[in-house]
């Protein structure tokens, strides 16, 4: 079964063609990072407009890179939730229109499910039951997955997502958007034991990352000798290059430790676990990859948002009995749980 997957939930316009949920025939991603680096973050209206411009060229390129005609496409899959409203609308309306025009069944995919299924786009796939750590700009969750298409949230963040925390700490340090890759890069030249940062004291499997962000802010203020009322966007002017790298390394080490501690706790609570899967934009982080040598990670190029994972998720939903969506009515849901 050959599926065209479409993804526009945030700031990547993406389309891909995938055979049987495992084999990538093409994977086209147009990122808006250059636009938003200037602003230091995503502006939803601008993102939606950029998706509109890039969408059809990206779909056409995905088909031509795969040497596929419309006749060979068996189904269309699209991310319809969660994400930015205007961004989700562009991908979903495009997929609905293409499904009607070319008489193809249409499948609606949850964004976090698709991140998990990026781990099936490989030769070595995870076994059930599994624990998934889903870490992105908008989510931080531990999922218990007993079989395909059956997701249970067993841990979630009570405030900021871990990716959001990377992005906010990067801003404090004056590192460019998106924060994750810039922190990882700066950390290479830093001393990760230089600044001691706290781990949140939360029982069970839930996370909290806003305290860590504030701890970085307070430690920076103390280090450069300014009061807490000092404008945070000006702190970067007072930090030396080495201090920035030491803060990046210390923060990254703490964030990775927090994620690993909760995952270890989950493994104790679910001893029947066969595989541990890490997914979402933050799974690109190489320190995290080093800290979890036994876990499954997507190929680095599939950690961030892409269409291939959408097509993969749809394939495994279809073989688990999922019904196609109505192309005349499929809705978008900016905030909806993976359990719904
Ligand atoms: O999954 P994703 O591409 O988009 C969402 O669904 O949110 O995740 C984006 C997030 C951003 O917060 C970005 O800073 C983070 O993933 N990220 C990283 C790395 N690469 C991207 N965080 C840490 N280390 C990285 N290497
Ligand atoms: Zn994502």
């Amino acid at each position: 079964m050959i599926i065209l997957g479409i993804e526009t939930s945030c700031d990547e316009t993406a389309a891909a063609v995938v055979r049987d949920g495992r084999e990538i025939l093409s994977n086209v991603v147009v990122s808006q990072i250059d636009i938003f680096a200037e602003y230091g973050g995503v502006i939803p209206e601008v993102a939606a407009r950029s998706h509109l411009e890039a969408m059809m060229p990206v779909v056409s390129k995905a088909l031509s890179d795969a040497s596929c005609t419309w006749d060979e496409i068996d189904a269309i899959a699209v991310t319809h939730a969660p994400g930015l409203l205007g961004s989700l609308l562009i991908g979903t309306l495009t997929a609905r229109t293409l499904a009607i025009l070319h008489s193809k069944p249409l499948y609606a995919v949850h964004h976090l499910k698709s991140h998990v299924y990026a781990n099936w786009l490989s030769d070595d796939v995870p076994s059930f039951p599994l624990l998934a750590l889903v870490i992105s700009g908008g989510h931080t969750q531990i999922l218990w997955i007993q079989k395909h298409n059956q997701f249970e949230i067993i841990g979630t963040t009570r405030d900021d997502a871990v990716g959001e925390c990377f992005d906010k700490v990067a801003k404090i340090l004056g590192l460019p958007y998106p924060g994750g890759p810039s922190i990882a890069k700066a950390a290479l030249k830093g001393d990760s034991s230089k600044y001691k940062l706290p781990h949140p004291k939360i029982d069970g499997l839930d996370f909290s990352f806003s305290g860590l962000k504030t701890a970085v802010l307070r430690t920076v203020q103390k280090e450069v000798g300014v009061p807490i009322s000092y404008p945070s966007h000006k702190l970067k002017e007072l930090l030396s290059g080495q201090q920035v790298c030491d803060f990046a390394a210390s923060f990254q080490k703490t964030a990775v430790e927090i994620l690993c501690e909760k995952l270890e706790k989950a493994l104790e609570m679910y001893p029947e676990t066969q595989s541990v899967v890490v997914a979402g934009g933050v799974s690109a982080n190489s320190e995290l990859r080093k800290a979890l040598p036994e876990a499954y990670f997507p190929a680095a190029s599939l950690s961030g948002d892409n269409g291939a994972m959408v097509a993969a998720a749809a394939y495994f939903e279809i073989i688990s009995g999922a019904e196609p969506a109505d192309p005349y009515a499929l809705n978008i849901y900016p905030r909806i749980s993976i359990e719904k």
Side-chain angles (χ1 to χ4, degrees), residues 7 9-12 82 111-112 115 135-139 161-167 177-185 251-252 279-287 303-306 309:
E7 153 65 41
S9 67
C10 187
D11 59 349
E12 260 95 27
H111 185 58
L112 298 188
H115 271 305
I135 40 180
S136 70
H139 294 84
V162 61
E164 188 181 354
C165 190
F166 269 87
D167 296 337
Y177 175 87
S182 13
I183 291 219
K185 193 173 162 209
F251 160 71
Q252 176 176 252
V282 184
S283 73
N285 189 274
S286 45
E287 282 308 305
S303 277
D305 295 345
N306 64 83
M309 67 187 193

Side-chain angles (χ1 to χ4, degrees), residues 2-322:
I2 297 183
I3 301 181
L4 169 71
I6 294 177
E7 153 65 41
T8 62
S9 67
C10 187
D11 59 349
E12 260 95 27
T13 315
V17 178
V18 175
R19 180 184 280 130
D20 295 338
R22 299 272 308 274
E23 190 194 340
I24 298 180
L25 304 182
S26 68
N27 188 29
V28 181
V29 181
V30 170
S31 171
Q32 303 172 9
I33 279 177
D34 293 347
I35 304 174
F36 296 124
E38 243 176 77
Y39 300 104
V42 177
I43 297 168
E45 292 293 330
V46 178
R49 208 168 312 161
S50 309
H51 284 310
L52 195 54
E53 280 169 23
M55 189 75 266
M56 280 318 294
V58 164
V59 169
S60 301
K61 186 161 189 332
L63 289 171
S64 67
D65 283 3
S67 306
C68 249
T69 62
W70 276 107
D71 282 347
E72 291 163 290
I73 298 291
D74 296 303
I76 299 173
V78 66
T79 311
H80 76 131
L84 300 173
L85 187 145
S87 292
L88 288 168
L89 261 180
I90 304 301
T92 302
L93 286 175
T94 303
R96 284 172 53 174
T97 308
L98 291 172
I100 294 165
L101 265 178
H102 298 284
S103 305
K104 305 292 177 186
L106 174 66
Y107 291 88
V109 173
H110 189 284
H111 185 58
L112 298 188
K113 277 189 197 174
S114 66
H115 271 305
V116 171
Y117 276 107
N119 282 283
W120 269 259
L121 293 162
S122 118
D123 295 333
D124 179 20
V125 298
S127 319
F128 296 105
L130 60 90
L131 281 169
L133 175 68
V134 182
I135 40 180
S136 70
H139 294 84
T140 305
Q141 293 186 338
I142 302 182
L143 306 173
W144 174 238
I145 309 175
Q146 283 180 281
K147 57 179 187 177
H148 280 303
N149 207 22
Q150 199 180 85
F151 297 79
E152 185 189 339
I153 301 167
I154 57 170
T156 191
T157 183
R158 298 197 178 164
D159 39 58
D160 293 355
V162 61
E164 188 181 354
C165 190
F166 269 87
D167 296 337
K168 286 177 174 170
V169 167
K171 235 178 186 172
I172 296 170
L173 300 178
L175 294 168
Y177 175 87
S182 13
I183 291 219
K185 193 173 162 209
L188 292 173
K189 289 182 256 156
D191 171 4
S192 64
S193 58
K194 180 84 193 217
Y195 303 105
K196 298 275 171 283
L197 298 164
H199 290 209
K201 291 186 181 59
I202 292 190
D203 290 338
L205 299 178
D206 280 351
F207 297 94
S208 164
F209 280 98
S210 74
L212 177 57
K213 169 202 66 193
T214 309
V216 172
L217 179 63
R218 296 285 175 259
T219 314
V220 169
Q221 288 163 337
K222 208 168 138 202
E223 182 77 5
V224 298
V226 297
I228 58 174
S229 55
Y230 193 83
S232 61
H233 67 274
K234 287 190 167 173
L235 285 169
K236 57 178 184 258
E237 295 159 15
L238 306 175
L239 286 165
S240 72
Q242 190 55 48
Q243 280 172 320
V244 168
C245 294
D246 291 343
F247 270 110
S250 304
F251 160 71
Q252 176 176 252
K253 172 173 162 263
T254 311
V256 166
E257 281 169 0
I258 293 168
L259 293 171
C260 293
E261 274 165 21
K262 289 289 174 177
L263 206 45
E264 251 168 55
K265 195 175 262 180
L267 273 166
E268 281 167 23
M269 290 167 66
Y270 292 79
E272 61 274 49
T273 301
Q274 291 294 310
S275 312
V276 172
V277 162
V278 188
V282 184
S283 73
N285 189 274
S286 45
E287 282 308 305
L288 183 65
R289 286 175 182 246
K290 271 188 232 157
L292 296 169
E294 313 269 288
Y296 285 82
F297 280 83
S301 60
L302 299 172
S303 277
D305 295 345
N306 64 83
M309 67 187 193
V310 179
Y315 173 79
F316 290 104
E317 287 193 13
I318 293 167
I319 61 166
S320 315

